Amino acid sequence: EASIEETKKAKTEADLKPGIEVLGLDLKELDALFCDPRALKAAPEKKEKKPEPDKPKEVHLIDGKRNQNASICLGRVKLSNDDVTAALVRLDPELLSPEGTEMWIGLIPTPEEYEQVAGYPGDQTLLAKVERFFLAVGKIPRLQERLAAVKTMYQFDSLYEDAKVKVDTIAAAAASLNHCTPLEKLMDVVLAVGNYMNGSTSRGQAFGFKIDVLTKLSNIKGNNAKMGTLVNYIVRQCEAKGFDEVLELPTRLANAVGAAAIDFGQLEGDVRRLTATVNKTRKEVNKMASGDVHEDFAAPFLTVIKPFVERAEDLTTKLDKEMSDAKKAVEGVAKKFGAKMEGGEGDPVMSF
């Protein structure tokens, strides 16, 4: 049994710490006056989240590296696939600028790639970005040939002008040498000096000399180094004797200097390739005009490319003839001066 002291202590603690329930206090009023109002609001019922259905995955058919490169290029394009397709059909100059054409040539699908995406048996709306682009533009007939013609059109003028300048330089060089009295006068002086210097030998009293001797005169040095080579002596004598026309040869034969730097064989190859690309574009024009391609695709092509082809054909035909004439003129000059055709018959300009 508990002691009297323990009983008193327990009773005292109970009296000091009475419970709310024991005292019968009004709890509703207490809550209304002093409780946080937010706590009185009924907590919303938690709704169970329904699992979202998995989104269908995009279908990739094009291999990784090709897909990545095409995706990067397409990321720079702010047009829809339909807008791009329409621009390619009408050969829009804003889309197909000289720089832009190169990009599109590398971006459009090959026939094999188009067949791959067009033949996909599943839902084509699930195709990835690159595949959807290939599917859209690949419907344009002869798209690769179409863009190749545009590229030829853009590159033609620059390539033609480069070849034309070289052909004109060669022709002008041949003309300046063919009827060049000052050059013949210089040869008279060189022959006279050579016969005098070789007078006591079997090489003296010559009636002429090989043309390549002219390039060797600067190698013949005199006893006085300050007076220069045999070339310096000949120049001084021409000045003293008033052979002014000889002294003007560097100016009169400037084209010959330029022609000597031209690789005629390479020039012929450049002109052949230029003519071949024009002929290839002509075939594409004929194909579009034949009726084999629907008018919606053929008409815009013919409007842009046909006038270019007609102009380019005229220019390349003339250029071929001018190059042939220049080659014959150079061969005639080489024969006149007895120049050795060091480059062979295919490279007569080496005779300069």
Side-chain angles (χ1 to χ4, degrees), residues 4 29 41 48 61 63 98 183 192 194 206 213 226 231 236 274 301-302 304 317 337:
I4 295 174
E29 183 180 357
K41 294 181 180 179
E48 294 185 2
L61 301 175
D63 65 61
L183 180 59
V213 166
K226 293 182 179 180
V231 168
R236 287 196 297 271
L274 183 61
F301 180 87
L302 293 173
V304 175
T317 299
F337 289 103

Side-chain angles (χ1 to χ4, degrees), residues 31 115 136 144 208 215 326-327 341:
D31 287 336
E115 288 180 7
Q144 289 184 320
T215 63
K327 183 176 181 179
M341 308 292 281

Side-chain angles (χ1 to χ4, degrees), residues 5 13 35 43 55 84 108 121 148 150 160 170 179 184 193 199 205 208-209 227 258 269 310 318 321 323 330 343:
E5 291 297 327
E13 290 178 352
C35 185
K55 293 182 179 179
V84 171
I108 61 174
V150 175
Y160 169 79
I170 293 171
H179 303 287
E184 295 173 2
V193 171
Q205 302 307 312
F209 58 87
M227 299 301 291
E310 291 173 348
K318 292 178 180 177
K321 185 178 185 308
M323 186 171 66
V330 171

Side-chain angles (χ1 to χ4, degrees), residues 3 12 16 54 74 98 128 134-135 140 181 212 215 220 223 228 230 301 324 340 342-343:
S3 65
T12 302
L16 293 175
D54 294 335
L74 288 174
F134 282 3
L135 187 63
I140 303 174
T181 303
D212 62 352
T215 63
I220 303 175
N223 297 325
L230 187 57
F301 180 87
S324 178
K340 184 179 179 181
E342 295 185 9

Side-chain angles (χ1 to χ4, degrees), residues 121-141:
D123 186 355
Q124 292 187 338
T125 62
L126 298 180
L127 292 174
K129 181 178 182 179
V130 172
E131 284 75 5
R132 292 197 305 273
F133 169 76
F134 282 3
L135 187 63
V137 302
K139 296 174 183 177
I140 303 174

Side-chain angles (χ1 to χ4, degrees), residues 206-228:
F207 290 98
F209 58 87
K210 293 183 178 180
I211 197 72
D212 62 352
V213 166
L214 294 176
T215 63
K216 300 176 182 178
L217 298 179
S218 60
N219 297 328
I220 303 175
K221 299 179 180 180
N223 297 325
N224 187 344
K226 293 182 179 180
M227 299 301 291

Side-chain angles (χ1 to χ4, degrees), residues 45-309:
E45 296 182 4
K46 293 183 179 180
K47 296 182 180 180
E48 294 185 2
K49 291 185 177 180
K50 296 181 180 180
E52 295 182 0
D54 294 335
K55 293 182 179 179
K57 295 183 179 180
E58 290 186 330
V59 177
H60 295 271
L61 301 175
I62 306 303
D63 65 61
K65 188 173 182 180
R66 166 67 163 153
N67 195 304
Q68 182 181 13
N69 292 338
S71 182
I72 291 173
C73 291
L74 288 174
R76 304 171 189 157
V77 179
K78 306 305 179 183
L79 301 174
S80 67
N81 289 339
D82 289 341
D83 289 339
V84 171
T85 301
L88 293 177
V89 169
R90 67 176 181 269
L91 302 185
D92 189 328
E94 291 188 10
L95 186 75
L96 294 176
S97 63
E99 299 78 15
T101 300
E102 287 285 356
M103 185 197 79
W104 290 111
I105 288 176
L107 183 56
I108 61 174
T110 64
E112 294 75 19
E113 288 172 334
Y114 175 68
E115 288 180 7
Q116 185 178 6
V117 296
Y120 176 63
D123 186 355
Q124 292 187 338
T125 62
L126 298 180
L127 292 174
K129 181 178 182 179
V130 172
E131 284 75 5
R132 292 197 305 273
F133 169 76
F134 282 3
L135 187 63
V137 302
K139 296 174 183 177
I140 303 174
R142 305 185 65 79
L143 180 56
Q144 289 184 320
E145 293 81 0
R146 191 182 198 87
L147 296 188
V150 175
K151 179 180 178 180
T152 297
M153 180 179 68
Y154 280 134
Q155 292 182 338
F156 176 82
D157 286 339
S158 175
L159 296 174
Y160 169 79
E161 287 299 330
D162 181 66
K164 172 70 172 171
V165 168
K166 291 178 180 178
V167 170
D168 289 347
T169 299
I170 293 171
S176 65
L177 285 167
N178 196 33
H179 303 287
C180 188
T181 303
L183 180 59
E184 295 173 2
K185 185 67 175 180
L186 173 62
M187 291 181 173
D188 288 341
V189 175
V190 172
L191 181 61
V193 171
N195 279 334
Y196 179 82
M197 294 177 68
N198 296 312
S200 59
T201 69
S202 59
R203 300 175 64 184
Q205 302 307 312
F207 290 98
F209 58 87
K210 293 183 178 180
I211 197 72
D212 62 352
V213 166
L214 294 176
T215 63
K216 300 176 182 178
L217 298 179
S218 60
N219 297 328
I220 303 175
K221 299 179 180 180
N223 297 325
N224 187 344
K226 293 182 179 180
M227 299 301 291
T229 66
L230 187 57
V231 168
N232 300 111
Y233 168 80
I234 291 173
V235 170
R236 287 196 297 271
Q237 290 301 308
C238 288
E239 289 175 338
K241 300 302 180 182
F243 300 157
D244 295 338
E245 69 276 16
V246 174
L247 301 176
E248 295 173 358
L249 277 174
T251 302
R252 296 188 60 167
L253 299 182
N255 284 318
V257 176
I262 296 173
D263 186 329
F264 194 82
Q266 180 178 338
L267 176 59
E268 284 186 310
D270 291 342
V271 173
R272 278 197 303 269
R273 284 187 290 274
L274 183 61
T275 302
T277 57
V278 172
N279 291 339
K280 186 176 181 180
T281 308
R282 161 55 73 182
K283 291 181 180 178
E284 193 61 25
V285 167
N286 293 342
K287 181 72 174 178
M288 290 290 179
S290 67
D292 293 345
V293 178
H294 193 281
E295 185 179 0
D296 290 347
F297 300 102
F301 180 87
L302 293 173
T303 298
V304 175
I305 302 299
K306 185 178 179 180
F308 155 70
V309 168

